[in-house]
Amino acid sequence: MRLWNVLRNEWMKLVRRRRLTVVAVLGLCLVGLFAFGEYQARQNARNYNPIVAQQNALAELKKQRSAIASEPPSQARDQQLQSIDAAIASVQQQLQEAKQQAQAQVDWRASVKTEMDNIRQELAQIPTGSAALPSEQARRADLQAELTLDQYRLDHDVAPVFRPKLSAWEETLSFLSVADKTFIPLLVVVLVGDMVAGEMTSGTIKLLVVRPVRRRTLLFGKWLVSVAASAVVSFVLCWLFLLAGLAIQGTQGALEPHWLGVTYQFVKSPDDPLNLTAIPNYAHAYLVPAWLCVLYQSLLVALAMAVVATITFFCSTVFKSSMVSTAVAMGAVVIGYVVTEIATARGQGWVRWLFPTHLDLFSDWNGDLVRALQHPVTLGSGILTLLVWAAVLLMLSFIRFGRQDILNA
Amino acid sequence: MDVLELRGVSKRLGRRMVVQDLDMTVREGEVYGFLGPNGAGKTTTIRMIVGLIRPTSGIIRICGHDIERNPVGALKHVGTIVENPEMYSYLTGRQNLIHYARLAGVRDIERRVAAVAERVGLAQRIDEKVKRYSLGMRQRLGVAQALLADPKLLVLDEPTNGLDPAGMREFRELIRRLASEGMAVFISSHLLAEVEQMCDRVAVIRDGRVITEADVADLRAGAGQVQIRVSDPATARATLLAAGWKAEDGGDRLRLMAKDDEAVAQAVRALVEAGLDVYEVTRAGGLEQSFLALTGAAQTGGEADAVVERAAQ
Ligand SMILES: Nc1ncnc2c1ncn2[C@@H]1O[C@H](COP(=O)(O)OP(=O)(O)OP(=O)(O)O)[C@@H](O)[C@H]1O
Ligand SMILES: [Mg+2]
């Protein structure tokens, strides 16, 4: 009952503080930017005709070649000719692909079937069993996954999205995978940074803790409201991005399947002794349509942001000035992002114990993080890491706030 | 019944003992003044009483509940203002009061909020944002939130800061009325006059120690110094001493203790009968003098003088 009253109070204060407005305005600005970017991408895709573009490039290259060929013969001339021939070959290949794609748009099922035949042919050439090299095992697993995905397309009648059309679902997923490590956590920090420190700074904490309510009830109520508000704000923001994307690109691509839950094993392969080879294991993986991925992604973002809110909340109880607590939490997010990006790219396994590594939990799930990190990470271990961070810091907040002398407020 | 009880309460901040060995008792229906100069330790004591900080040693009980062991039970009976009553400036006065009422366990919140707003004279502007309030209005809102839970003990830290004279009088009347309804009130102040007008009992604190504790009525009764200007102070003094008065030499004036009008008249008659001319008779000081006598501020000077100076304003 007392907790309920604390929650109502904290909610009342949260929605009336200027910080919520700031967060809303910043969030809407970013949605606007995203929408603008999507609009540009759509225009570019529309104006770009791959066949014409490749044909133009080919004509240009051929003109260059004849110009060079007319020069007196020399070793330099021969080298130039060689490289230009290679370029011509590659453009011709791309032209071919563009034409195939155009063909596929007419009859995508036929082209999927052709692709499946090609995959089966390649699979037949890869040795099986213990004779296979790790790199060959990996290739086999990937090809089989592709085959399964193509079969899924045929079974569920899911046409690929062809240019110039773009899928708003994919665009949102890829945008969120960056925004949830940078921008959205910063919004959460702005929202929560003064939750306790603000009351210390303004002195209102005094009249709050002299009530017949336990300090831990007050703190728990504040924490619940911080976490709930952060989760709701970030979830809503995710869907605003999606809605903006859908408004501009249309709804196509909602059923496009994605692999989730792929696990990896990292081994040294004799044919590539310098790097580890990732052998995917699709045994427990499943195909999930894009719209469901966006839903999962936004739920995971909400969870991760609840953890960011808890970390910020901790800063807010430790530092008495809301400016300092906001700054420190922001520093943790920004520095954490930079450090984990660098360390992840270098495959340093220890970063998997840091919270910023797992802010994009969806990448724990779809395997992007594992492949970059080359260390075993799953959705479960990512969530667990975040929860341990949150639990420890929350406990420290309670210890700190419960015994603290409130002197200078 | 003892509503507030402090036993051997001390507080160390850093290296300094800011409050030392305080013993105080405040009874039901009593207004207790806590008087001391700046930095004496008044606010620190009040913070301990309302559970904002923990005493280094000693026990504080409110209605029998130890504030450290059972803060919820103790704070149920307390309304307070500590230093400035900071409120949420982005909320209206009413929202602020609702906020505190929810925590104080008030039943019929809306009615109670309206009642206390009425009581402190804020009913007209209770729906304005607090950031638009003047200092005095904020102070009133502070009193209102302290009264919300109908506490048995009201702990106020310099509550008349920023009130205009009319507001101060209203406030005094409010405090007296609350006390007559049985509320115990603990008020800190550095204004002697304020304490004199409001309180039943007063403790004087300096450098973290209570120097003295007394009933205001006793102090008033004891305040009987009279100054007399006469034609020949030396003779006059001898005359009065001979007549059994304790007269002191004070330059061109004589000082003596005369409790009531009858005593003054007798002294004047003695002087006149001795053939001396009496130019002027004044009663000096009242409580001020008593305090000076009690606290020995005349000898130690400094801070306590400042107290009295401000009291005289
Ligand atoms: N955080 C602190 N750390 C150390 N000493 C402190 C702290 N806060 C206050 N003090 C000291 O404690 C002493 C008592 O301070 P307190 O605020 O209780 O005085 P006060 O009687 O309320 O004075 P005033 O009339 O100015 O309000 C002062 O000497 C002050 O310097
Ligand atoms: Mg003070």
Side-chain angles (χ1 to χ4, degrees):
Chain A
M1 192 58 219
R2 279 292 149 84
L3 180 62
W4 173 241
N5 280 338
V6 173
L7 291 178
R8 286 207 292 170
N9 277 346
E10 293 307 323
W11 191 259
M12 172 173 81
K13 288 186 275 184
L14 185 88
V15 297
R16 287 187 165 78
R17 278 204 322 245
R18 202 174 294 145
R19 288 196 170 215
L20 187 67
T21 323
V22 171
V23 166
V25 169
L26 285 176
L28 289 178
C29 281
L30 199 70
V31 172
L33 274 173
F34 174 72
F36 181 68
E38 286 304 290
Y39 177 76
Q40 296 261 305
R42 186 183 75 162
Q43 295 308 94
N44 286 344
R46 275 204 184 153
N47 297 338
Y48 180 75
N49 182 333
I51 296 178
V52 173
Q54 302 295 358
Q55 278 169 343
N56 287 346
L58 198 59
E60 179 65 22
L61 282 171
K62 284 192 170 148
K63 216 162 71 188
Q64 279 181 20
R65 189 187 192 285
S66 58
I68 293 168
S70 63
E71 284 173 16
S74 73
Q75 209 172 4
R77 192 197 73 157
D78 287 348
Q79 271 179 2
Q80 277 184 335
L81 279 180
Q82 245 175 25
S83 69
I84 221 162
D85 282 342
I88 287 174
S90 119
V91 170
Q92 270 167 343
Q93 167 91 25
Q94 283 169 21
L95 185 57
Q96 191 62 31
E97 280 170 15
K99 281 181 175 160
Q100 272 175 9
Q101 277 224 343
Q103 186 55 38
Q105 292 190 45
V106 180
D107 183 3
W108 65 268
R109 280 185 195 80
S111 94
V112 165
K113 278 176 190 152
T114 325
E115 192 188 306
M116 289 172 74
D117 286 341
N118 291 343
I119 292 172
R120 286 201 190 92
Q121 272 173 24
E122 194 179 340
L123 273 172
Q125 286 161 15
I126 298 175
T128 51
S130 54
L133 289 170
S135 57
E136 288 167 342
Q137 290 173 22
R139 181 71 186 147
R140 165 174 290 277
D142 280 336
L143 287 175
Q144 269 164 349
E146 236 175 282
L147 212 51
T148 314
L149 195 139
D150 281 342
Q151 191 60 51
Y152 179 98
R153 275 195 199 290
L154 294 177
D155 293 348
H156 294 80
D157 196 22
V158 182
V161 178
F162 294 106
R163 278 184 174 258
K165 290 218 155 153
L166 297 169
S167 160
W169 310 89
E170 309 299 327
E171 297 284 304
T172 307
L173 281 174
S174 71
F175 179 78
L176 282 181
S177 73
V178 180
D180 62 7
K181 285 189 276 190
T182 51
F183 183 76
I184 306 178
L186 292 183
L187 286 188
V188 169
V189 168
V190 171
L191 189 63
V192 178
D194 69 341
M195 205 66 190
V196 180
E199 302 232 18
M200 291 278 185
T201 312
S202 71
T204 47
I205 190 79
K206 287 182 303 193
L207 293 184
L208 195 63
V209 303
V210 297
R211 308 293 154 182
V213 179
R214 285 179 197 287
R215 283 196 192 181
R216 59 168 180 262
T217 312
L218 286 175
L219 199 69
F220 187 64
K222 276 185 172 293
W223 174 74
L224 271 185
V225 167
S226 314
V227 161
S230 305
V232 167
V233 164
S234 40
F235 186 82
V236 167
L237 202 56
C238 289
W239 284 82
L240 287 181
F241 286 128
L242 178 70
L243 287 179
L246 288 175
I248 288 160
Q249 312 290 12
T251 57
Q252 69 280 359
L255 299 177
E256 184 73 15
H258 286 243
W259 280 111
L260 290 181
V262 185
T263 53
Y264 290 82
Q265 201 191 349
F266 292 93
V267 289
K268 275 221 161 36
S269 179
D271 59 344
D272 187 6
L274 291 180
N275 299 308
L276 289 173
T277 305
I279 305 175
N281 179 359
Y282 286 86
H284 303 291
Y286 23 84
L287 284 167
V288 175
W291 70 268
L292 201 52
C293 283
V294 175
L295 178 63
Y296 285 149
Q297 163 78 302
S298 44
L299 286 171
L300 289 173
V301 168
L303 174 65
M305 292 313 121
V307 172
V308 172
T310 308
I311 292 165
T312 311
F313 191 77
F314 167 74
C315 291
S316 186
T317 42
V318 168
F319 300 103
K320 286 192 178 136
S321 140
S322 40
M323 227 253 293
V324 173
S325 92
T326 309
V328 170
M330 247 178 213
V333 169
V334 172
I335 295 169
Y337 172 73
V338 174
V339 167
T340 55
E341 286 294 296
I342 292 171
T344 303
R346 291 182 182 168
Q348 292 177 342
W350 54 266
V351 285
R352 67 184 187 277
W353 309 119
L354 300 184
F355 78 88
T357 313
H358 300 288
L359 288 184
D360 183 32
L361 278 169
F362 198 67
S363 72
D364 288 54
W365 202 4
N366 68 15
D368 286 352
L369 182 63
V370 202
R371 281 194 298 273
L373 202 54
Q374 310 226 317
H375 283 271
V377 182
T378 61
L379 178 63
S381 76
I383 291 177
L384 196 67
T385 309
L386 286 185
L387 290 185
V388 167
W389 272 85
V392 169
L393 292 183
L394 187 63
M395 208 173 61
L396 292 178
S397 311
F398 272 91
I399 292 171
R400 162 87 179 160
F401 189 73
R403 316 216 108 237
Q404 187 182 14
D405 271 359
I406 296 170
L407 260 177
N408 296 325
Chain B
M1 203 190 101
D2 290 346
V3 176
L4 172 66
E5 191 188 353
L6 282 81
R7 288 284 160 263
V9 173
S10 302
K11 179 69 184 177
R12 180 197 298 277
L13 286 178
R15 292 237 182 117
R16 278 191 52 202
M17 292 302 282
V18 174
V19 169
Q20 282 186 59
D21 219 19
L22 287 194
D23 285 297
M24 281 187 275
T25 312
V26 182
R27 289 183 287 265
E28 221 172 32
E30 181 177 52
V31 182
Y32 192 97
F34 195 47
L35 188 67
N38 292 138
K42 302 184 294 293
T43 301
T44 309
T45 309
I46 283 179
R47 280 177 194 265
M48 286 191 282
I49 292 174
V50 298
L52 285 171
I53 61 180
R54 289 157 184 272
T56 311
S57 63
I59 294 177
I60 298 172
R61 285 203 200 88
I62 295 165
C63 296
H65 303 285
D66 187 321
I67 184 78
E68 278 188 90
R69 295 231 189 101
N70 182 8
V72 172
L75 290 171
K76 217 176 275 175
H77 306 291
V78 180
T80 186
I81 299 179
V82 182
E83 295 197 316
N84 303 316
E86 285 95 354
M87 301 274 175
Y88 303 101
S89 58
Y90 50 87
L91 300 181
T92 65
R94 189 189 300 280
Q95 283 164 343
N96 268 287
L97 292 179
I98 290 174
H99 172 268
Y100 293 122
R102 281 179 188 153
L103 299 177
V106 173
R107 304 237 159 195
D108 189 350
I109 290 182
E110 268 176 36
R111 182 116 51 81
R112 187 67 192 147
V113 164
V116 292
E118 186 70 43
R119 193 148 209 192
V120 299
L122 261 186
Q124 304 293 319
R125 309 197 45 186
I126 195 69
D127 284 312
E128 273 180 45
K129 286 240 168 89
V130 169
K131 66 176 150 222
R132 296 213 191 87
Y133 279 16
S134 69
L135 178 59
M137 289 162 71
R138 279 170 214 224
Q139 206 65 263
R140 284 160 193 258
L141 190 60
V143 176
Q145 63 79 29
L147 295 176
L148 268 175
D150 199 11
K152 293 209 173 79
L153 173 66
L154 203 54
V155 181
L156 305 173
D157 192 7
E158 305 192 12
T160 52
N161 248 347
L163 290 185
D164 55 22
M168 249 188 237
R169 205 182 57 236
E170 275 172 49
F171 175 77
R172 275 200 302 273
E173 282 161 8
L174 173 64
I175 294 294
R176 294 282 7 154
R177 200 160 56 237
L178 291 171
S180 70
E181 289 164 14
M183 200 180 285
V185 187
F186 185 95
I187 294 188
S188 88
S189 175
H190 49 230
L191 300 181
L192 180 60
E194 188 175 280
V195 168
E196 183 184 351
Q197 287 168 334
M198 260 189 295
C199 300
D200 303 312
R201 221 140 53 92
V202 55
V204 181
I205 180 175
R206 217 171 64 200
D207 297 333
R209 288 177 183 279
V210 169
I211 311 171
T212 182
E213 190 189 19
D215 283 355
V216 171
D218 289 351
L219 290 176
R220 259 204 207 102
Q225 198 181 57
V226 175
Q227 295 190 355
I228 303 176
R229 192 151 69 87
V230 290
S231 52
D232 183 355
T235 324
R237 183 157 176 257
T239 312
L240 285 174
L241 284 175
W245 300 91
K246 271 201 209 156
E248 287 170 39
D249 193 3
D252 65 335
R253 283 154 206 258
L254 290 172
R255 289 208 301 246
L256 57 92
M257 293 299 286
K259 270 191 186 164
D260 50 19
D261 292 349
E262 182 55 31
V264 176
Q266 278 177 12
V268 172
R269 203 174 302 132
L271 291 172
V272 173
E273 280 168 5
L276 293 158
D277 294 336
V278 176
Y279 302 141
E280 190 183 337
V281 180
T282 44
R283 278 207 172 275
L287 271 182
E288 278 178 44
Q289 295 297 325
S290 305
F291 267 110
L292 288 178
L294 274 169
T295 60
Q299 287 90 39
T300 43
E303 291 171 319
D305 280 344
V307 172
V308 173
E309 256 170 41
R310 246 175 281 123
Q313 281 168 9

